[in-house]
Amino acid sequence: MIRFFLIVNRSCQTRFSKYYDEQSQPAEEDGGMFELEVARQCITRKTTNTLFFSMKQYKIVFRVYASLYFIIGCNPEENEFSLLELIQVFVECLDQYFDKVTELDLVFNLEKVHMIMDEIILKGLLLETNQERILAIQQ
């Protein structure tokens, strides 16, 4: 099960976050330290290392596109390569919808990003991977 999905930039600023259960959601007094810690782990990782690793009770899977890091936190038994493919589908949907998505598109159209994500993942489970069906709802 997917526990959370984050998009952060190279400065570790969270541009999108979606949590799929209350246990994964960081406490308000945390002040974003959990997201910062996850982002730092991904950003400082060497390019020779894999795109997934364990952190606390999660398996972290991430992929880099331009200056953005797309990060998924999930249960340890999830398949890493299927999650990498899920990130690819999400990025391709964003590219089609925004005509080459940029960080500014995420900042100024956050509700659209949430709507696209909600078509792909529901309550932490993969719902749809067909890009035409995902984007048909949005248009």
Side-chain angles (χ1 to χ4, degrees):
M1 181 175 172
I2 297 170
R3 300 295 179 176
F4 59 85
F5 196 109
L6 303 173
I7 302 175
V8 298
N9 63 15
R10 287 200 174 122
S11 302
C12 293
Q13 296 172 316
T14 303
R15 295 302 184 196
F16 173 86
S17 66
K18 182 87 173 183
Y19 291 87
Y20 293 100
D21 68 346
E22 292 182 17
Q23 296 171 345
S24 304
Q25 194 147 0
E28 288 187 26
E29 59 271 3
D30 183 24
M33 291 304 295
F34 173 74
E35 291 177 6
L36 183 61
E37 184 181 342
V38 172
R40 279 187 184 154
Q41 288 285 326
C42 295
I43 291 170
T44 59
R45 209 156 159 82
K46 294 179 182 174
T47 56
T48 56
N49 292 347
T50 61
L51 297 174
F52 45 90
F53 59 92
S54 293
M55 183 176 159
K56 298 186 180 179
Q57 73 267 26
Y58 305 111
K59 180 185 291 183
I60 306 296
V61 180
F62 71 98
R63 200 158 190 178
V64 184
Y65 290 95
S67 64
L68 296 173
Y69 287 75
F70 293 77
I71 304 168
I72 294 177
C74 62
N75 293 342
E77 63 273 1
E78 292 291 329
N79 184 326
E80 302 89 4
F81 297 108
S82 66
L83 294 174
L84 286 170
E85 187 61 30
L86 171 63
I87 294 171
Q88 178 72 27
V89 167
F90 181 58
V91 171
E92 286 178 7
C93 286
L94 291 176
D95 269 347
Q96 277 187 297
Y97 188 81
F98 292 111
D99 193 34
K100 297 294 181 196
V101 67
T102 64
E103 186 174 348
L104 288 176
D105 291 325
L106 298 178
V107 171
F108 293 116
N109 298 293
L110 192 58
E111 69 283 348
K112 297 292 185 188
V113 177
H114 274 279
M115 289 170 53
I116 292 170
M117 178 56 75
D118 290 343
E119 291 296 321
I120 299 172
I121 301 173
L122 180 66
K123 295 185 179 180
L125 301 173
L126 183 60
L127 185 65
E128 183 64 68
T129 57
N130 185 313
Q131 293 177 26
E132 291 175 8
R133 289 184 193 160
I134 294 166
L135 295 173
I137 306 294
Q138 307 303 319
Q139 298 174 4

